[in-house]
């Protein structure tokens, strides 16, 4: 953008100072400045198009990565789901004659003093 602004200002400054360019005719310098301005505009458009292509390519890559990651997570879950469900069922069962789900997880009601 800065280069295009400089090119436009150079053409404008030259047209104000040059009698031929004021009348709508190009002198050799005015013609060269106009060509450079057009080249700069085209280069800027090319850069913008390339940036758009790069952004789309990056978005496609990220989307593909996210899909692969989601498939991997789903596959991992399908692999461990039976064991998780079994563990949950076992955890929910309460042993006979206890209030806790497991006999080894009773919580003491009084402080325990550990001596060394």
């Amino acid at each position: 953008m800065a280069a295009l602004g400089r090119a436009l200002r150079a053409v404008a400054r030259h047209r104000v100072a040059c009698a031929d360019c004021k009348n709508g005719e190009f002198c050799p310098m005015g013609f060269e400045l106009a060509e450079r301005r057009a080249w700069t505009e085209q280069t800027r458009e090319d850069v913008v198009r390339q940036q758009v292509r790069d952004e789309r390519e990056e978005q496609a890559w990220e989307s593909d990565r996210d899909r692969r990651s989601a498939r991997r997570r789903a596959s991992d879950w399908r692999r461990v789901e039976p064991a998780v469900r079994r563990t949950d069922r076992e955890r929910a069962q309460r042993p006979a004659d206890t209030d806790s789900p497991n006999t080894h997880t009773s919580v003491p009601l009084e402080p325990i003093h550990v001596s060394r």
Side-chain angles (χ1 to χ4, degrees):
M1 290 300 283
L4 181 58
R6 287 192 303 269
L8 292 172
R9 285 191 299 276
V11 170
R13 278 194 307 267
H14 178 76
R15 284 187 178 165
V16 168
C18 177
D20 290 337
C21 292
K22 272 187 202 176
N23 295 331
E25 300 174 12
F26 282 118
C27 71
M29 177 59 87
F31 184 75
E32 183 178 340
L33 287 171
E35 277 187 334
R36 288 184 181 188
R37 180 193 56 126
W39 181 84
T40 303
E41 286 176 343
Q42 184 62 46
T43 301
R44 184 181 65 82
E45 290 172 7
D46 291 345
V47 167
V48 168
R49 276 194 297 275
Q50 183 62 42
Q51 286 174 340
V52 168
R53 275 193 303 267
D54 290 347
E55 286 176 10
R56 286 182 183 155
E57 185 177 304
E58 184 175 342
Q59 288 172 349
W61 183 85
E62 288 176 356
S63 177
D64 187 47
R65 183 195 62 203
D66 292 344
R67 275 193 302 275
R68 285 191 317 265
S69 180
R71 282 194 304 263
R72 188 178 319 113
R73 279 193 309 274
S75 171
D76 290 348
W77 176 247
R78 280 191 303 273
R79 185 172 39 82
V80 300
E81 184 179 19
V84 170
R85 291 194 187 282
R86 185 178 58 250
T87 302
D88 285 344
R89 277 193 311 273
E90 291 172 1
R91 189 179 302 125
Q93 294 173 353
R94 295 183 186 270
D97 301 329
T98 64
D99 291 332
S100 65
N102 297 312
T103 57
H104 64 283
T105 59
S106 62
V107 178
L109 299 176
E110 299 295 324
I112 297 176
H113 299 287
V114 179
S115 59
R116 291 189 177 185

